[in-house]
Amino acid sequence: DVKVTQSSRYLVKRTGEKVFLECVQDMDHENMFWYRQDPGLGLRLIYFSYDVKMKEKGDIPEGYSVSREKKERFSLILESASTNQTSMYLCASMNPSGLTDTQYFGPGTRLTVL
Amino acid sequence: GESVGLHLPTLSVQEGDNSIINCAYSNSASDYFIWYKQESGKGPQFIIDIRSNMDKRQGQRVTVLLNKTVKHLSLQIAATQPGDSAVYFCAENRQRINKFYFGSGTKLNVKP
C-alpha cells in the first residue's frame, strides 16, 4: 500500500513565524501535491511538483513556497505565517504513469496560527 | 467558471439502507473522476474511480455512475454501515494534467 506521511498532525504557530510542513511518500511517486482544506471550500491546490527540484504553482500559492530536494520528500514552507493560513494541510502523491491517476493522501496537518 | 460541487451538504441514512451521494461538474473536458472518503481527523481515502469512456463502475458495496450528458456523478453505497459515516467528495481530472478539482463534500451520517 502507498504510504504518505506528514511530519505533524497538529501544529500551533505564532504570526510571523516560519513554518515547515514535511511530507514523505514511500512509493517512488513522481508527482507530489500540497493542498489546504477549509470548510465549505474543499481542497485547494497550493503547489505541486512533478520531479525533483521542479515545482508548479497551484491555485493559491501566495504566502507559500515549496522544496523538493529528494523524490520522496516534498516540503511546504510558510515564510511568515498569518492567521488566514490556519487550515488543514494535506499532502498527496501520485504516479502519472501508473494504472490509475489516483492521488494518495497523507493524514493531514492541522495548523493553527495565533 | 469551472466548478465541482455537491448537491447536498449532509445526508442521513438508516443503517442497512442504500446511500446515494451526488456531484455535479461543469467542464465537459473532464475525463477522469474519483470519489474519496474522509473520516474525521484523517486524510482522504480513495474509494472508486471512473473514466469518461464508462458510465458505470462497481466496487465492493459501491457503485459510481457517470452521466456525461448532464455532467453528473453519483456514488451509491449499498447496505450502509456505521463505518461509512464520513465526508465524501468527488474530484475531477482533466486530460491527465496534474490538477484535480475537488468538491466541498457531503457528510454522510449513518443512524443505527
Side-chain angles (χ1 to χ4, degrees), chain A residues 9 31 37 59 96 101 103, chain B residues 36 38 41 96 98-100:
Chain A
R9 294 300 302 276
N31 297 357
Q37 184 178 32
D59 298 317
D101 294 325
Q103 293 190 346
Chain B
Y36 285 97
Q38 187 174 21
R96 298 185 69 92
N98 285 314
K99 290 185 73 173
F100 284 78

Side-chain angles (χ1 to χ4, degrees), chain B residues 20-37:
Chain B
I20 299 176
I21 301 171
N22 298 304
C23 178
Y25 65 96
S26 58
N27 192 320
S28 56
S30 296
D31 59 2
Y32 180 61
F33 305 86
I34 305 173
W35 278 102
Y36 285 97
K37 173 186 180 182

Side-chain angles (χ1 to χ4, degrees), chain A residues 39-93:
Chain A
L41 295 178
L43 274 70
R44 293 180 291 166
L45 181 64
I46 304 172
Y47 267 97
F48 67 97
S49 169
Y50 51 88
D51 201 353
V52 175
K53 297 190 184 295
M54 305 301 287
K55 61 185 179 183
E56 291 281 344
K57 292 181 179 179
D59 298 317
I60 51 164
E62 296 79 19
Y64 304 94
S65 62
V66 290
S67 172
R68 192 155 181 214
E69 296 296 318
K70 294 183 179 181
K71 191 174 185 179
E72 68 272 17
R73 187 179 298 269
F74 192 35
S75 302
L76 180 70
I77 303 154
L78 287 66
E79 294 291 340
S80 178
S82 63
T83 54
N84 63 11
Q85 292 179 309
T86 292
S87 186
M88 169 71 91
Y89 289 88
L90 289 163
C91 175
S93 73

